[in-house]
Amino acid sequence: MKNLPEILEVSDYDNLLAKEADALRRKVYFDEVYLRGLIEFTNFCKNDCYYCGLRISNTNLPRYRLSEEEILSCCKTGYELGLRTFVLQGGEDPYFTDDKICSIISSIKGLYKDVAVTLSIGEKKKESYLAYFKAGADRYLLREESANPLHYSKLHPKNLSSEKRKECLKNLKEIGYQVGAGFMVGSPFQGINEILSDIEFLKQLSPDMIGIGPFVSNPETPFAHYPNGSVEMTLKLISILRILFPHALIPATTSLWTLDPSALEKALKCGANVIMPNITPKRVRDNYRLYPGKTNTEKEAAQTVADLKSIISAAGYRAVSSKGDVRRI
Ligand code: SAH
Ligand code: SF4
């Protein structure tokens, strides 16, 4: 087998990688695919990441917040559709104090005994992470974005650092969350060496979930003129990550299907075992614009889930209605 830098540079190996990745995912997770109901509950953000449309400097974006009642209503719809994990994602929005977040988590967990709650709300103090965990949060998604500090500094303003991001991931692990990390593929200034640093970092962290998706250029950001990341490279990296981390929960991410709707099926065949149907109310969904071109903004949650289930079975897998916790081997 070629070494990793060679595999990343040439593409003649992709089918073999996908086969090996699929065999490993079937060994650990059989043909199961886990659905996570994604609730994008606020698009306010105090940060100014150069790649993201929710950045505070983007004055073109109509901002919204969902109330606790609206979030619970999304969960009700999702639960009835068979979803058993809810992912609360948002910008870093100071309006949602720790008390508010804890109240939302405990309401969800009080209503539904057999669901997992995943948070994806950025960098917080360790005490805050601990409070959310005690309120019932099970998992946390926080991509390292780039494990290489110099590369990280080219994607973010000075008040954000790779060191701080890694510290947050360490705190989340210590508290006992199932932790998700990851990075964008093809972000500006990323080369093979940067990708290798991320893989190395992931090996040290040993996360439960790994989310990677292509960078999608957003005209409302300073990176408007940088090209999109490659779908093929993302698929190849999904296979590599599955081979390196057979136990990991690896989603076929929204940015991947935004660039190529057929990539969803391909991602499953390359080793992905999670899909996150968007169950945010239609009224606001279009305004959660990390990047443009998000598909499915017009569909009702029920339709989105039904469509995903048929893609999953056409690809040769089975959508299961369970929490879908990580299986460490
Ligand atoms: N504010 C939280 C969660 C929301 S952003 C956080 O930053 O962790 C979720 C993810 O979207 C980010 O981790 C980033 O990797 C991804 N993202 C943001 N802008 C993007 C873009 N233009 N293309 C692809 N992915 C993007
Ligand atoms: Fe805010 Fe997250 Fe976007 Fe950065 S990536 S601007 S923290 S929503």
Side-chain angles (χ1 to χ4, degrees):
M1 183 157 174
K2 292 183 189 174
N3 64 28
L4 212 43
E6 279 176 325
I7 291 175
L8 289 171
E9 262 158 45
V10 293
S11 65
D12 60 346
Y13 221 55
D14 297 10
N15 276 339
L16 281 176
L17 284 175
K19 275 210 178 110
E20 191 178 339
D22 189 53
L24 279 167
R25 73 89 82 204
R26 285 179 189 272
K27 210 162 147 190
V28 185
Y29 289 102
F30 315 107
D31 57 353
E32 297 181 356
V33 175
Y34 309 108
L35 299 179
R36 320 293 200 197
L38 177 63
I39 305 170
E40 298 161 333
F41 70 100
T42 172
N43 74 349
F44 281 84
C45 190
K46 66 180 170 63
N47 288 336
D48 216 14
C49 307
Y50 299 151
Y51 44 85
C52 176
L54 306 195
R55 64 200 303 270
I56 193 168
S57 303
N58 183 6
T59 50
N60 284 331
L61 187 69
R63 305 280 172 167
Y64 72 88
R65 292 181 176 111
L66 299 185
S67 65
E68 180 168 328
E69 291 66 39
E70 285 175 297
I71 295 172
L72 293 178
S73 149
C74 295
C75 294
K76 181 170 187 290
T77 309
Y79 193 86
E80 284 162 3
L81 293 169
L83 305 179
R84 293 294 178 269
T85 291
F86 298 112
V87 181
L88 300 173
Q89 194 186 75
E92 289 192 20
D93 179 358
Y95 169 86
F96 283 98
T97 56
D98 289 351
D99 284 350
K100 286 200 176 83
I101 296 289
C102 288
S103 160
I104 295 166
I105 298 164
S106 44
S107 299
I108 298 174
K109 298 289 282 216
L111 285 167
Y112 308 106
K113 303 295 172 205
D114 56 344
V115 305
V117 170
T118 304
L119 298 175
S120 176
I121 52 175
E123 296 177 18
K124 305 277 175 182
K125 293 201 211 78
K126 190 169 184 182
E127 301 91 85
S128 306
Y129 288 149
L130 188 60
Y132 310 151
F133 190 73
K134 285 190 176 152
D138 303 273
R139 308 185 187 129
Y140 206 104
L141 304 176
L142 186 80
R143 291 181 173 180
E144 78 277 10
E145 311 296 359
S146 173
N148 175 314
L150 180 64
H151 182 223
Y152 187 97
S153 74
K154 294 180 183 171
L155 305 177
H156 300 91
K158 278 205 172 60
N159 64 325
L160 298 174
S161 74
S162 173
E163 208 182 9
K164 176 81 200 303
R165 200 85 181 164
K166 290 172 181 167
E167 177 73 25
C168 286
L169 283 163
K170 186 173 142 264
N171 289 340
L172 288 163
K173 275 218 119 179
E174 277 171 11
I175 291 169
Y177 282 93
Q178 290 178 43
V179 172
F183 56 94
M184 289 177 286
V185 177
S187 58
F189 320 110
Q190 182 192 62
I192 301 285
N193 283 337
E194 283 68 28
I195 294 178
L196 291 171
S197 307
D198 278 294
I199 293 178
E200 210 36 59
F201 170 74
L202 291 172
K203 280 189 191 159
Q204 287 162 26
L205 182 72
S206 180
D208 306 288
M209 302 164 283
I210 305 176
I212 61 163
F215 162 71
V216 185
S217 182
N218 187 331
E220 291 169 343
T221 67
F223 288 161
H225 301 293
Y226 285 87
N228 290 338
S230 147
V231 168
E232 276 64 43
M233 181 61 120
T234 307
L235 292 170
K236 179 168 22 188
L237 278 164
I238 288 176
S239 293
I240 291 171
L241 292 170
R242 170 60 64 204
I243 294 166
L244 295 173
F245 305 91
H247 71 274
L249 293 157
I250 302 180
T253 51
T254 316
S255 71
L256 186 64
W257 17 311
T258 295
L259 289 188
D260 176 2
S262 74
L264 189 54
E265 189 179 331
K266 291 180 199 154
L268 295 174
K269 291 179 173 165
C270 286
N273 60 344
V274 170
I275 299 186
M276 295 166 50
N278 194 333
I279 58 168
T280 310
K282 261 170 59 175
R283 169 177 74 77
V284 296
R285 220 182 288 163
D286 195 35
N287 290 332
Y288 196 82
R289 270 204 305 274
L290 303 171
Y291 42 79
K294 247 170 69 180
T295 45
N296 292 344
T297 50
E298 281 311 310
K299 280 190 205 169
E300 296 293 351
Q303 191 60 49
T304 308
V305 171
D307 291 352
L308 288 173
K309 282 185 177 167
S310 47
I311 294 173
I312 292 166
S313 52
Y317 302 93
R318 198 162 44 94
V320 293
S321 180
S322 84
K323 273 208 287 193
D325 281 322
V326 69
R327 285 191 200 142
R328 289 275 180 182
I329 42 174

